Amino acid sequence: KQWYQRRVRAASMMPVEERPPIRSSVTLGPWEIITQQCHILRSTCKCTADNTAYSGRCVACIYSDTLTLPDLPEMTFDRNFLSLRHTPSGGSISLITLDALALVDPSRDAVKVSYAAEWQEKRRDSEHLNNTVKPFDWTFKTAYRGSVSGAHSCSETQEEPDREKLLRRDQILFSTELVLFEDELADNGCSKLVVKCRVMPSFVLILLRQYVRVDRVMYRVQETRLYAEKTWNHVLREVTVREAGYHQVQDLGHSLLFDEWAIGQYLPVTECHRERLDFRSDPDSG
């Protein structure tokens, strides 16, 4: 894995021709789903006087100036995003890499604090994990649930998605998967934030999922689901956090322990709540 990380670092510093992002959009009732995919963030600054391709600050500088983190994930897809836009009101819920990284703790090594015994026992010889020069949450754990703009109200709710519709085998109008960032934690695990979206004839379902694994120490999965129906002017947002120490799941076997999607069902739920975000069907009312 170390050679792979070196290749990623080298590639991020190579002067390559900028490729335009790939953008897609689909409409469902009052909702427009917009996605964009592009290459990883280049680490070199492009704010040079003779570079007319960039106006103002380059993306690398924007990230550096905005975030207080001493480091970024090995693969940071700065221009990947998904936005669920409510056309009548102009409001939206967007999933953005920069906003997600802005919620990473810049001053506290949360894993070392929460799993001190396992940490000291399993990682005493790790040069990277014993590095006290950068005491930040190097697993890039984030409580990010999406960036909301223009919502009329947000309240807790017991309302749930229509499970009958979710299970029906209707035609899929649009589907996509985006990676916002990924890091192999210096060959000590994995931290990955991904977005999945599925648009059906009667609803849209979006999943924002962060998977964190620190080998022989801990596992954590945070899932944020956004659900809206074609006839609605509101979105249901459900956040579920699952977390366990390695000793709680070590008997599951190697294949499950390294399956980022299957392991989630074996982790105990530590947090779960659901809320309703309302958007005005008529922005001029009220």
Side-chain angles (χ1 to χ4, degrees):
K1 293 181 180 179
Q2 291 178 344
W3 71 264
Y4 171 73
Q5 291 177 333
R6 289 194 293 269
R7 289 281 299 275
V8 170
R9 291 193 190 99
S12 68
M13 298 179 69
M14 292 176 61
V16 297
E17 181 180 353
E18 290 291 328
R19 295 187 302 274
I22 300 173
R23 182 175 286 227
S24 302
S25 67
V26 62
T27 300
L28 184 74
W31 305 103
E32 182 182 15
I33 300 90
I34 305 167
T35 66
Q36 179 172 286
Q37 297 190 61
C38 202
H39 51 67
I40 65 174
L41 173 67
R42 304 300 179 183
S43 60
T44 52
C45 173
K46 293 183 172 62
C47 295
T48 56
D50 58 347
N51 190 339
T52 58
Y54 291 86
S55 58
R57 295 181 302 164
C58 69
V59 179
C61 287
I62 292 174
Y63 268 64
S64 177
D65 295 345
T66 303
L67 303 174
T68 55
L69 300 174
D71 205 355
L72 289 177
E74 289 283 348
M75 291 178 283
T76 300
F77 294 88
D78 58 295
R79 288 192 278 181
N80 285 9
F81 75 85
L82 182 146
S83 183
L84 176 63
R85 183 173 179 270
H86 183 251
T87 305
S89 67
S92 64
I93 305 177
S94 300
L95 306 177
I96 304 168
T97 305
L98 182 62
D99 290 355
L101 288 172
L103 294 182
V104 175
D105 194 325
S107 60
R108 188 175 75 103
D109 191 338
V111 175
K112 188 173 182 179
V113 171
S114 300
Y115 298 91
E118 292 94 335
W119 180 275
Q120 296 298 334
E121 177 63 25
K122 306 300 183 184
R123 290 292 174 253
R124 63 178 65 181
D125 298 325
S126 173
E127 179 181 353
H128 176 76
L129 303 190
N130 285 311
N131 182 1
T132 58
V133 178
K134 300 186 293 184
F136 76 110
D137 190 346
W138 55 274
T139 66
F140 302 103
K141 183 181 70 176
T142 175
Y144 185 60
R145 303 177 300 164
S147 305
V148 180
S149 173
H152 172 57
S153 65
C154 177
S155 57
E156 292 187 3
T157 183
Q158 297 301 314
E159 185 180 357
E160 297 184 20
D162 189 322
R163 298 194 179 277
E164 181 182 345
K165 290 182 179 179
L166 290 174
L167 295 174
R168 258 187 350 223
R169 293 182 176 274
D170 292 336
Q171 177 188 5
I172 298 176
L173 303 180
F174 175 79
S175 66
T176 191
E177 179 174 346
L178 311 171
V179 178
L180 299 188
F181 66 73
E182 183 174 359
D183 193 288
E184 292 191 344
L185 309 182
D187 205 24
N188 288 281
C190 178
S191 178
K192 186 175 182 180
L193 185 66
V194 300
V195 177
K196 286 191 171 188
C197 175
R198 178 162 53 104
V199 181
M200 308 298 284
S202 60
F203 68 87
V204 55
L205 179 64
I206 299 166
L207 171 67
L208 172 69
R209 186 180 195 266
Q210 184 179 31
Y211 164 76
V212 177
R213 185 191 80 246
V214 181
D215 291 336
R216 301 180 67 82
V217 176
M218 58 82 69
Y219 292 82
R220 185 178 191 272
V221 173
Q222 175 171 308
E223 295 180 327
T224 299
R225 287 179 171 82
L226 305 174
Y227 175 87
E229 295 197 358
K230 183 178 182 178
T231 59
W232 287 3
N233 290 295
H234 68 276
V235 176
L236 298 182
R237 177 165 64 180
E238 181 181 83
V239 179
T240 304
V241 179
R242 300 172 182 268
E243 187 169 337
Y246 173 74
H247 67 279
Q248 295 174 267
V249 295
Q250 60 182 332
D251 294 332
L252 291 176
H254 183 274
S255 60
L256 275 176
L257 291 177
F258 286 87
D259 188 325
E260 63 183 272
W261 291 98
I263 189 64
Q265 61 183 307
Y266 297 96
L267 306 179
V269 175
T270 59
E271 178 185 344
C272 183
H273 61 271
R274 189 182 301 116
E275 56 192 2
R276 171 174 166 152
L277 301 165
D278 283 278
F279 297 88
R280 291 190 186 279
S281 57
D282 180 2
D284 296 326
S285 63

